[in-house]
Every structure is written in structure tokens, then in C-alpha cells.
Amino acid sequence: MAKVQMRNRISAILLSSDKPLTCQAIHEQYPGRNLPNTRAITGVLQSYPEFLEVGSVTVPRKSGPGHMPASLWTHIDHALLSSMEEE
């Protein structure tokens, strides 16, 4: 049940965003007191077909110097709309 609730909250975050988000951005916007870690969010994003990985960006490392790649995620409803329909 908790995984379904997490999926619904992540869906709401992605659908309310105008652009694809990284797992860290989803984590920062996650509502409630029981925040899942970014690894749990990534697991949910990879397990359900309604979430699409649409690219990657480079983000600063938290645990040291340098940068690392981070995937950008969106909800499938955004992928089905053309840019003309969204505006």
C-alpha cells in the first residue's frame, strides 16, 4: 500500500510541474512527514510504466567535489501531449 501511495504522490508532483524533474527535485517537493529517500523514489520511477526517463542533467555531488549525472523524469500524460496542446 505504501508504494501505491508514493506512486500517487510522485505522479501529482510530476503532473503539476511544467518541466521534467530529477529524483532530488521530486524529493524536495514530496509532501508529508515520512519522506522517502531518493533511492526509493528512483525505484518507484523505474517500476511503473507511466513514468518516463526523458534525459539527464549534470548536478553537483553531495558527498564530495565534482558533478554527477541525474536522470530527468516525467509522467506519461505529458509525453502524450504535443507542445502546441500544452500551451
Side-chain angles (χ1 to χ4, degrees), residues 9-24:
R9 289 182 177 184
I10 292 171
S11 294
I13 292 167
L14 288 172
L15 288 170
S16 68
S17 175
D18 293 338
K19 58 184 179 178
L21 299 173
T22 63
C23 289
Q24 183 62 35

Side-chain angles (χ1 to χ4, degrees), residues 11 14-15 49-52 73-81:
S11 294
L14 288 172
L15 288 170
E50 65 259 26
F51 302 119
L52 297 175
W73 294 90
T74 191
H75 196 277
I76 196 167
D77 286 350
H78 285 296
L80 295 176
L81 297 176

Side-chain angles (χ1 to χ4, degrees), residues 14-45:
L14 288 172
L15 288 170
S16 68
S17 175
D18 293 338
K19 58 184 179 178
L21 299 173
T22 63
C23 289
Q24 183 62 35
I26 294 169
H27 181 267
E28 291 169 359
Q29 296 179 24
Y30 198 87
R33 294 183 312 206
N34 298 328
L35 294 176
N37 58 25
T38 54
R39 184 172 291 182
I41 292 172
T42 301
V44 169
L45 290 169

Side-chain angles (χ1 to χ4, degrees), residues 39-87:
R39 184 172 291 182
I41 292 172
T42 301
V44 169
L45 290 169
Q46 291 174 343
S47 349
Y48 290 98
E50 65 259 26
F51 302 119
L52 297 175
E53 187 175 357
V54 293
S56 65
V57 293
T58 303
V59 295
R61 286 188 187 273
K62 288 184 180 178
S63 61
H67 293 81
M68 62 184 227
S71 298
L72 290 171
W73 294 90
T74 191
H75 196 277
I76 196 167
D77 286 350
H78 285 296
L80 295 176
L81 297 176
S82 69
S83 59
M84 295 291 287
E85 291 175 350
E86 287 185 13
E87 295 175 357

